[in-house]
Amino acid sequence: MPNEGSYGVALERSRRVEAGLKDHPEKYVMLTGDRPTGRLHLGHYFGTLRGRVELQNLGVRTNVLIADYQVITDRDTTEHIQDNVYNMVMDYLACGIDPDKTMIYCHSAVPACNQLMLPFLSLVSEAELQRNPTVKAEMEASGHELTGLLLTYPVHQACDILFCKGNVVPVGRDQLPHIEITRQIARRFNKRYGKVFPEVDALLSDTPLLPGLDGRKMSKSYGNAVSISMTAEETAKRIKKSQTDGERKITFDPENRPGISGLLSTAAICTGRSEAEIADEIGDAGAGALKKYVTNAVNEYFAPIRERRHQYENDLDYVKDVLHEGNRKANELAEATLAEVHEAMGMTY
Ligand code: TRP
């Protein structure tokens, strides 16, 4: 049997799901989520938010999780968590996630979902948990020892996906090990106790990962990201400060000119033009002209999104209502699934 965890296989499965989604959106339940550790940025927007809105509008049942318990997998503080969660809801709404169509909720508000963790933990071995490459990488990056939560959070992620019978999970490549363990857990549960859970697939994006303004991986901690929530002025400032090089003529060369190329990629994705075309147009006008072009491109693209966001910033009560309603629905779903799980396991008294 081929290695199901391998990227090629996942990609092939993802392509098949993609075709199925267009023909039979009603057969799919999407679940994906974000850790509320800060504001969402352009990488999130083009990498996943835009795609979620498309699925939502295709008529797929869509669920978006604010993964608050995952915040403490690799850090020992929950500082600013409430503010981050509310702002994440604002980012979602501003980007077009419609709370009448998409359930927006957070981990900590759904006890029955978290309770799935107990039977699920019994279905995986310590060795499987230990060899998860994403967990290893996160442990190394955190500089902490491996906590019980960091080791087991992929199982918690299986709870996130399976409590709502999710079968399609839009994620980046780094999340594939978690999808694989989710699939194993669903299969093993069904085999042991009877069919309750669906077969799960990752939905991998075709859009190449948008690099940060300096060409490195876009990350808040590198200061190379433009947040959706920034003002036009803050955006201009961030772009102006980004690192370029001494060569005047603008060319697209990600390998040797990461700064210039990161800027070009940002402009390209916002305008729908190619990097090479923009580079040719700017030519000898240099990095200053490129930065102006990028700033305009970003600010123009995000103007309507930011305008909507302002409305939500000024209506926190509405934002809270959206989350409370999502949490209420999530609890309903989670309780129904947990009841099925108990029934399948014979734990009905
Ligand atoms: N682990 C994901 C991340 O770090 C967030 C997440 C939590 C998630 N639960 C999920 C993603 C369930 C997809 C499905 O970005």
Side-chain angles (χ1 to χ4, degrees), residues 91-109:
D91 281 336
Y92 290 158
L93 297 173
C95 290
I97 291 181
D98 173 354
D100 289 333
K101 295 181 181 148
T102 297
M103 181 174 89
I104 302 172
Y105 71 101
C106 58
H107 269 146
S108 60

Side-chain angles (χ1 to χ4, degrees), residues 31-35 65 67 70 153 157 160-161 169 171 175:
L31 179 289
T32 192
D34 305 284
R35 295 181 186 190
L65 158 66
Q70 268 192 22
Y153 94 83
Q157 193 152 324
D160 297 338
I161 296 166
V169 188
V171 281
Q175 298 288 307

Side-chain angles (χ1 to χ4, degrees), residues 280-334:
D280 279 352
E281 186 176 288
I282 295 179
D284 289 323
L290 173 61
K291 286 181 177 180
K292 277 206 190 97
Y293 185 88
V294 179
T295 302
N296 284 337
V298 172
N299 285 341
E300 227 166 82
Y301 189 99
F302 284 93
I305 291 174
R306 286 167 167 171
E307 200 177 311
R308 275 201 297 276
R309 200 181 190 284
H310 276 304
Q311 290 167 17
Y312 300 120
E313 285 160 14
N314 293 318
D315 195 356
L316 192 59
D317 283 342
Y318 175 74
V319 170
K320 289 182 190 173
D321 282 349
V322 165
L323 190 58
H324 293 162
E325 178 56 17
N327 287 341
R328 189 193 62 73
K329 281 191 215 150
N331 273 295
E332 227 173 70
L333 265 174

